[in-house]
Amino acid sequence: MTSSAAVVERTYREHRARMLAALVRVLGDFELAEEGLQEACALALRRWSTTVPDDPVAWLLTVARNNAIDRLRRARTGREKHALAGARQEVVTAMPSQESLAEAGDERLSLIFACCHPALAEPARVALTLQAVAGLTAGQIARMFLVGEQTLAQRLVRAKRKIRDAGIRLAVPADHLLPERLSGVLSVVYLIFTQGYTTGDPGPREEAIRLGRLVATLIPGEPEVLGLVALLLLHDSRADARYTATGDVVLLEDQDRSRWNRAEIAEAVGLLDRALRRSRPGPYQVQAAIAALHAQAATAAETDWQAIAALYGELLGMTPSPVVALNHAVAVAMANGPAEGLALIDRIDGLDRYHLLHSARADLLRRTGRLDEAAAAYRRAHELATTAADRRFLARRLYTLDRDEPR
């Protein structure tokens, strides 16, 4: 990679969300902003081979804006398009300087609230925001939603065109309108964290915690925001113990608890206590309570699985979903025995392509002595696993099982 290409790649990776937020806010069109920014990056690869600008972000914003204007001009094939282009030309002409565009506050949080507009269905809001803010691909987001990539791609296209065609203004709403967007915003923050947590990348985890804290400042005292931040901190507290030095998975029950971040746990428990005192329980508070029970157990054997199973039962009543049902089933298995948990897993529909369902089922089959069925379930989980660490873990489990040496 040449020096100029490295600058383009780094600038795009580090500032994509800020630049896209600025362009979308002005143009009111996601597709137009994305295309303009892509063209600007392509041009930069050619132009910067001789001279890299002093302010690469400002250069890309200027070129992307001009590309968008040119596209609008070329699209003037009728009166409506001519009027639309003229109106947008006036807005673009009146834009502030590039410095103020790039420094107009927390652009990432602004874009999250903008994308979570109530005119969009919540799954579309969340998917669109994950693509625009976190830079995730349609395939990555589809795996999070447990849907096909084509289905997710169509959802994104419809959301972007609805924003454009309905003239939805993409900006942080007034304070009194924030609550109607909050559920989507919290979902996005949680999924940004999840992306980093499942891949072992600390960057998305740190960014999600930062964003969660910003939302808590923006909407002080909202218990679900406090619950989410507590949940993220509790998960993050275990991050260093989840993998070996060689990158292999370490199960929760086998983790070295001395490596857990006690400062994060203490902060999280304090936030959760504040949330629960408001007597407005919600899904993130319940999940944080479950994570707190794990974090406060001195050893795996001291984990209060009966309480965790009961909390998952409450969560299932609040947010019925196959994934929550799976977690509930695993907790019941730990509390009451593998046979009871296995019976619950076998009733779950909609997770055939979710490797964790097959992995959990394999473990319970192994514990009940049904080794042939367990091996088949481990093989299916291995086929579906999306990370190398998960595949290695499942391969080891299968190898041990084939040798008839269950743990």
Side-chain angles (χ1 to χ4, degrees):
M1 179 179 284
T2 66
S3 175
S4 60
V7 174
V8 174
E9 192 275 335
R10 185 176 65 252
T11 303
Y12 182 81
R13 183 182 68 250
E14 295 178 358
H15 301 285
R16 174 185 175 278
R18 295 173 60 206
M19 293 188 291
L20 187 61
L23 291 167
V24 171
R25 191 172 60 245
V26 169
L27 299 168
D29 188 329
F30 259 98
E31 292 178 316
L32 190 63
E34 288 173 328
E35 290 165 358
L37 189 54
Q38 290 292 339
E39 290 180 359
C41 289
L43 184 60
L45 288 172
R46 299 193 297 271
R47 295 278 182 86
W48 294 4
S49 60
T50 54
T51 304
V52 175
D54 293 336
D55 190 341
V57 171
W59 192 97
L60 289 172
L61 277 171
T62 300
V63 173
R65 178 189 61 178
N66 293 339
N67 287 341
I69 293 172
D70 288 342
R71 281 179 173 270
L72 286 170
R73 286 172 176 158
R74 291 196 297 269
R76 290 178 178 175
T77 58
R79 181 178 300 175
E80 290 183 1
K81 287 186 177 179
H82 180 87
L84 177 62
R88 288 183 177 163
Q89 172 69 53
E90 291 175 7
V91 174
V92 172
T93 302
M95 278 177 29
S97 68
Q98 298 307 314
E99 289 76 11
S100 63
L101 270 176
E103 299 170 2
D106 195 288
E107 295 286 4
R108 183 162 289 192
L109 187 60
S110 172
L111 191 54
I112 290 176
F113 271 99
C115 292
C116 290
H117 195 286
L120 302 173
E122 183 151 323
R125 300 181 210 175
V126 174
L128 180 64
T129 312
L130 287 170
Q131 185 184 67
V133 178
L136 301 184
T137 66
Q140 290 172 315
I141 301 169
R143 285 192 290 275
M144 288 182 170
F145 280 81
L146 303 179
V147 299
E149 183 172 348
Q150 185 61 33
T151 298
L152 195 285
Q154 291 171 352
R155 186 180 296 173
L156 288 168
V157 169
R158 287 194 297 269
K160 292 173 184 178
R161 291 181 179 170
K162 183 169 184 177
I163 287 172
R164 178 195 65 199
D165 297 342
I168 295 172
R169 184 170 176 267
L170 294 172
V172 176
D175 287 353
H176 70 281
L177 296 177
L178 295 181
E180 68 183 5
R181 306 192 184 198
L182 186 59
S183 62
V185 170
L186 297 185
S187 293
V188 168
V189 172
Y190 180 69
L191 289 171
I192 290 173
F193 181 92
T194 300
Q195 175 67 13
Y197 193 70
T198 55
T199 61
D201 183 354
R205 300 200 314 267
E206 293 168 1
E207 177 64 0
I209 291 171
R210 184 188 74 83
L211 290 169
R213 285 174 167 149
L214 279 176
V215 177
T217 301
L218 192 62
I219 311 177
E222 170 54 49
E224 274 294 82
V225 179
L226 297 174
L228 174 63
V229 178
L231 176 63
L232 301 187
L233 288 168
L234 287 163
H235 284 326
D236 195 61
S237 71
R238 301 195 300 263
D240 290 343
R242 292 183 67 238
Y243 297 95
T244 66
T246 56
D248 288 327
V249 171
V250 181
L251 294 180
L252 177 62
E253 63 196 62
D254 298 323
Q255 289 174 15
D256 179 357
R257 298 184 179 220
S258 69
R259 299 184 64 196
W260 290 1
N261 188 322
R262 293 296 163 183
E264 285 190 314
I265 292 171
E267 181 185 355
V269 170
L271 290 171
L272 180 59
D273 286 343
R274 283 173 53 196
L276 294 176
R277 282 198 297 270
R278 296 183 178 273
S279 300
R280 285 191 285 137
Y284 290 115
Q285 295 169 73
V286 174
Q287 290 178 76
I290 292 168
L293 285 171
H294 284 297
Q296 293 174 315
T299 65
E302 295 176 61
T303 304
D304 189 346
W305 283 107
Q306 291 289 350
I308 290 173
L311 285 170
Y312 270 122
E314 289 187 28
L315 184 62
L316 192 57
M318 292 177 176
T319 57
S321 77
V323 172
V324 175
L326 173 61
N327 289 330
H328 176 246
V330 171
V332 168
M334 297 300 294
N336 302 334
E340 189 170 336
L342 188 60
L344 292 174
I345 285 181
D346 287 341
R347 297 176 197 165
I348 298 172
D349 292 323
L351 293 183
D352 185 60
R353 298 195 59 78
Y354 188 48
H355 83 278
L356 292 178
L357 178 136
H358 297 283
S359 177
R361 186 170 181 274
D363 183 61
L364 297 185
L365 287 166
R366 177 183 64 83
R367 289 165 56 191
T368 56
R370 295 159 63 179
L371 301 187
D372 289 342
E373 292 174 81
Y378 274 130
R379 291 189 190 96
R380 179 61 173 159
H382 186 272
E383 290 171 3
L384 296 171
T386 58
T387 69
D390 284 340
R391 287 192 291 271
R392 289 196 302 272
F393 169 79
L394 292 164
R396 288 196 304 272
R397 279 297 175 97
L398 185 57
Y399 174 74
T400 301
L401 194 66
D402 285 342
R403 295 177 62 194
D404 194 23
E405 294 178 2
R407 293 183 57 189

